[in-house]
Amino acid sequence: MGKNLTLTGMMGVGKSTIGKILAKKLNYNFVDIDKLIESKENLSINLIFKHKGESYFRKIEYKVILSELKNNNSVISLGGGAFLNNAIRKNAKKLSTSFWLDVPVEELIKRLKKNKKRPLLLNKNLSETVKKIYFDRKKIYNEADYRIKCNSLRSGEIANKILNLYEKA
C-alpha cells in the first residue's frame, strides 16, 4: 500500500490538474477535497461560505480531510486554506507526503482574474487580496515536505518532478 500524496498551495496553482495526472501515473485514487465537500453538502463552496459561513466550511473540511487521509493510495488535493489548520497539517505530514505547489503571486493574479468561484476573492480588490493571502500563508505552506516551484513548468513536468521526489521519500 502506498502512502498518500497530498498537494497544498494557493487557489489557482493547479492542485486539481496536477493531482489528476499524478493519480493516473501512480494508479491511485484522486480526491479533490473541495469537490468532495460540494458533493456531500450538495452546495458549491461559494454557497457554503455565503449561507453557512467560513467556520462551518472549515469544520466540514477538517472532518473530510482527516477521513480521506486514513485511506491509502490516494492523491489528495487540499483546498487552499486547509493546510493552515494545525491538525490537518500534522495529519497530512504523518499520513502522506506533502507537496506545496508554489506559483509566483503575479501569475496567480493572472490565473484568478477570470474565476468567480473563489469565495475569499469575491467583491474584493483581486491583486491586493491575493498578495495578502499568499504572504500570510507562505510560511505555513513551507512546512510541507517539499516545495515545488511551478513557474515556467508545464503540468506534466511538475507531475514528474513530484513523482521523482515522492518515490524517493
Side-chain angles (χ1 to χ4, degrees):
M1 288 192 297
K3 193 174 186 182
N4 292 327
L5 189 157
T6 304
L7 300 174
T8 191
M10 286 285 291
M11 56 191 120
V13 296
K15 295 181 298 283
S16 296
T17 302
I18 305 300
K20 288 174 189 167
I21 295 168
L22 288 167
K24 191 173 184 178
K25 287 182 180 238
L26 290 165
N27 199 24
Y28 279 14
N29 296 316
F30 174 66
V31 181
D32 182 320
I33 294 297
D34 284 350
K35 296 273 182 261
L36 194 55
I37 292 169
E38 287 179 336
S39 170
K40 285 181 183 292
E41 291 290 305
N42 207 21
L43 285 172
S44 70
I45 301 295
N46 261 348
L47 289 176
I48 295 169
F49 267 69
K50 185 177 179 180
H51 297 301
K52 298 182 178 188
E54 184 176 359
S55 65
Y56 175 85
F57 171 78
R58 297 295 174 200
K59 284 178 193 154
I60 299 292
E61 179 182 57
Y62 172 78
K63 288 178 191 166
V64 168
I65 291 170
L66 290 190
S67 170
E68 289 302 320
L69 282 169
K70 290 175 183 159
N71 299 325
N72 287 312
N73 302 322
S74 293
V75 174
I76 302 169
S77 168
L78 299 176
F83 211 65
L84 304 179
N85 178 304
N86 197 32
I88 290 174
R89 194 168 56 255
K90 280 183 179 163
N91 278 283
K93 290 177 65 66
K94 184 170 77 177
L95 302 169
S96 72
T97 304
S98 57
F99 293 86
W100 169 25
L101 301 184
D102 189 17
V103 171
V105 75
E106 295 305 325
E107 176 62 26
L108 280 176
I109 292 165
K110 274 189 228 168
R111 291 182 187 188
L112 294 167
K113 267 192 175 129
K114 302 173 196 107
N115 195 311
K116 302 291 179 228
K117 292 182 183 175
R118 310 288 181 171
L120 296 179
L121 300 179
L122 290 177
N123 307 318
K124 296 190 174 122
N125 177 309
L126 180 76
S127 181
E128 278 177 30
T129 307
V130 171
K131 284 177 185 171
K132 180 178 180 353
I133 293 170
Y134 178 83
F135 291 111
D136 287 350
R137 293 179 177 181
K138 187 177 178 180
K139 187 174 161 192
I140 292 171
Y141 288 149
N142 209 31
E143 291 182 35
D145 296 316
Y146 298 97
R147 177 183 181 185
I148 306 297
K149 293 184 179 183
C150 301
N151 38 326
S152 75
L153 295 176
R154 291 204 256 343
S155 301
E157 294 170 316
I158 295 165
N160 288 335
K161 202 172 184 179
I162 291 170
L163 277 176
N164 289 334
L165 291 166
Y166 175 73
E167 287 167 356
K168 290 175 191 165

